[in-house]
Amino acid sequence: MQVLAALCFLVLAHLPLLRGEVVGSFQDIPQCLDFFYEGKVPEWGAATPGAARLCQRFQNRYHFATLYDTLHRIAVYSAYRFQTGNDPTRNDWCIEPQLVDRSWNAGMEEEKDLITEHKGVYFGERQALEEDYINSNYDRGHLNPKQHQSGDSRQATFTLTNVVPQTPNLNQKAWVTYEHQLTKLFIAQCAQAYVLVGAIPSNNTWIGERVNIPDYIWNAYCCLDNNGRPIGSGGATVRNTGGTRVKRHTLSELKLLLGQYTKSPVEELFHNNCEA
């Protein structure tokens, strides 16, 4: 019996911790680091007041990672690996239960289901809710876009912790066009692509004094060959004011711009700046 108990202890000691989506560090969940090239999490954004680190979990699997600003109730960025597919989605929006209570379910859930489970509890203290976007004249603009994912990962993008308010003209025209251009680039040239997409909050523009309307949307990517070696990188920025022109940048240019916008120095967005 003692031998059996000792064996059980050893097995349990080497199992990964069964922790929820809201983590103290992305390093707490090894699977979460898979969405960052070589496991390198950007230091930029880490000091955001009220930041929450979300290992986005759906159907008992992790699909991407999000650094979430609970004070502005928008994502700082989402990090993901590109996939391609045309799987159907239900467009049912989820929220993060553990931003309400850390003891709740570790996976994203639809708000209507949480209402049934937790009557009388307000869910929006630290995150945006569907009611914030209704009649707001702003779209729920994906950072990790559905067209860059497949299977359950595609459905997992429909969480309000992965969106920011975008003007319809930007979300439905200029930015989605840029996302489609990236899709073609990744399919044609990359064996694998790591992507970061984020938002720069505005100083004083809000939806109902609850959800910040960002000034800029930005994107950065790192393209790898079949041997996992970097072969290309780039990024883009666009104003979130009905912007029709997405400006493309090198990673070096993008880092300078992010530093200027946020008055915070930017070191590496990707391991070794996505250089071989």
Side-chain angles (χ1 to χ4, degrees):
M1 182 64 72
Q2 289 179 332
V3 173
L4 179 60
L7 287 172
C8 289
F9 173 79
L10 288 172
V11 170
L12 290 172
H14 288 84
L15 286 174
L17 293 176
L18 298 178
R19 300 185 60 175
E21 284 185 314
V22 180
V23 294
S25 167
F26 288 124
Q27 287 83 354
D28 291 347
I29 304 247
Q31 301 97 313
C32 210
L33 292 179
D34 290 343
F35 307 111
F36 300 91
Y37 172 48
E38 292 290 341
K40 166 68 178 179
V41 178
E43 293 183 15
W44 179 83
T48 300
R53 289 150 185 86
L54 311 180
C55 294
Q56 299 281 15
R57 182 169 167 175
F58 178 69
Q59 300 289 20
N60 293 319
R61 286 182 52 235
Y62 297 104
H63 300 274
F64 61 102
T66 299
L67 183 65
Y68 191 74
D69 181 345
T70 62
L71 301 182
H72 289 100
R73 298 181 184 87
I74 58 173
V76 178
Y77 64 74
S78 283
Y80 64 92
R81 289 180 300 178
F82 172 77
Q83 305 175 63
T84 182
N86 294 311
D87 311 84
T89 51
R90 297 192 311 271
N91 297 9
D92 294 326
W93 289 95
C94 294
I95 60 173
E96 174 49 59
Q98 291 199 337
L99 285 179
V100 184
D101 189 315
R102 283 294 298 269
S103 69
W104 288 8
N105 181 27
M108 60 182 73
E109 288 193 46
E110 292 179 43
E111 189 176 342
K112 66 178 183 293
D113 294 333
L114 283 176
I115 290 173
T116 301
E117 298 170 20
H118 305 281
K119 294 188 187 322
V121 177
Y122 179 59
F123 305 137
E125 182 176 346
R126 302 180 68 220
Q127 64 189 311
L129 304 175
E130 282 200 79
E131 64 189 43
D132 292 313
Y133 285 89
I134 295 172
N135 298 323
S136 69
N137 296 321
Y138 285 89
D139 285 358
R140 288 164 285 202
H142 284 71
L143 296 186
N144 176 6
K146 68 176 184 179
Q147 62 266 33
H148 284 189
Q149 299 296 330
S150 63
D152 286 342
S153 294
R154 193 176 176 94
Q155 186 64 49
T157 65
F158 284 87
T159 172
L160 291 175
T161 54
N162 177 48
V163 304
V164 300
Q166 285 189 17
T167 62
N169 194 50
L170 173 61
N171 185 49
Q172 299 172 31
K173 295 181 181 178
W175 194 248
V176 75
T177 297
Y178 174 67
E179 291 171 338
H180 286 310
Q181 290 168 347
L182 285 183
T183 297
K184 293 179 181 179
L185 171 69
F186 294 158
I187 291 174
Q189 300 185 19
C190 309
Q192 193 171 36
Y194 288 83
V195 190
L196 296 167
V197 187
I200 305 299
S202 61
N203 288 327
N204 55 12
T205 310
W206 300 75
I207 295 177
E209 299 183 359
R210 272 189 37 84
V211 181
N212 186 269
I213 300 168
D215 279 339
Y216 289 90
I217 311 298
W218 61 270
N219 161 285
Y221 66 86
C222 178
C223 179
L224 311 179
D225 66 13
N226 285 314
N227 295 311
R229 292 189 296 252
I231 56 174
S233 64
T237 58
V238 67
R239 291 294 305 270
N240 187 30
T241 54
T244 56
R245 182 165 175 249
V246 176
K247 298 180 181 179
R248 294 181 179 252
H249 307 286
T250 66
L251 282 186
S252 296
E253 292 169 343
L254 179 64
K255 289 193 300 180
L256 286 174
L257 287 171
L258 292 181
Q260 292 170 7
Y261 295 156
T262 62
K263 297 180 173 56
S264 177
V266 182
E267 295 183 6
E268 291 183 335
L269 293 174
F270 300 106
H271 170 72
N272 199 31
N273 292 311
C274 190
E275 296 176 357

